[in-house]
Amino acid sequence: TLLSRTVATCVVVAVGVAIGVVVVVALSITSLHHVVRAVAFLFLVSVAYTAVSVAISAVATTRVRAVGAAIAFFVASAMWPHLARTFGPTSGLGTAEPTAAETLTYGVGTLSPFGAFSQAATTERAIYAVAVTDPLLSTPVMVVVLLCWTVVPVVVAYRSFSTTDL
């Protein structure tokens, strides 16, 4: 199920990327490195969200609960970086070098698939408008976060589903 859903998702994303490439060429965007990086992370975050959705579907008792939980997860994931910033110690200016506490807040904000994607796929000033000077906010860490969102939910759902008495 995960493989078929992932292929279906990636095909749709590929069509969107193809349309995006036409726009990039038409607008003569010169920063090809950023475009390639964003596309790579777009596929990775798509696979992560697909994995979470399949895991929710495997554990949910009804279709309505599965859809509701998937939508709730998506909204929570999108809001997570903003909530971390709102409740964490941040100066909000983005002009000075962030303190250790601010960097930790930014790191917590990137623990959702959306936060990791936003941090890795955008320019170095990313979601919080701070330069990536700490390894906690680096691209390899964001790859690990997205891979965890791809693997862990599926493993948990598989174990839960395999122990369920049908």
Side-chain angles (χ1 to χ4, degrees), residues 135-148:
L136 182 64
L137 300 173
S138 68
T139 300
V141 173
M142 298 307 110
V143 170
V144 170
V145 169
L146 288 172
L147 289 175
C148 286

Side-chain angles (χ1 to χ4, degrees), residues 2-16 42-43 45-51 53-54:
L2 177 62
L3 182 60
S4 68
R5 299 284 195 269
T6 299
V7 168
T9 300
C10 287
V11 166
V12 171
V13 170
V15 169
L42 180 61
F43 278 102
V45 77
S46 297
V47 171
Y49 276 120
T50 302
S53 297
V54 167

Side-chain angles (χ1 to χ4, degrees), residues 11-88:
V11 166
V12 171
V13 170
V15 169
V17 166
I19 293 168
V21 166
V22 170
V23 170
V24 167
V25 170
L27 297 177
S28 301
I29 295 175
T30 57
S31 181
L32 188 60
H33 173 267
H34 291 298
V35 172
V36 169
R37 182 174 159 166
V39 168
F41 274 96
L42 180 61
F43 278 102
L44 192 54
V45 77
S46 297
V47 171
Y49 276 120
T50 302
V52 170
S53 297
V54 167
I56 289 171
S57 178
V59 175
T61 55
T62 67
R63 187 174 295 213
V64 172
R65 287 183 183 170
V67 170
I71 291 170
F73 176 79
F74 181 77
V75 170
S77 170
M79 294 303 297
W80 181 255
H82 305 292
L83 292 174
R85 182 172 159 191
T86 300
F87 295 111

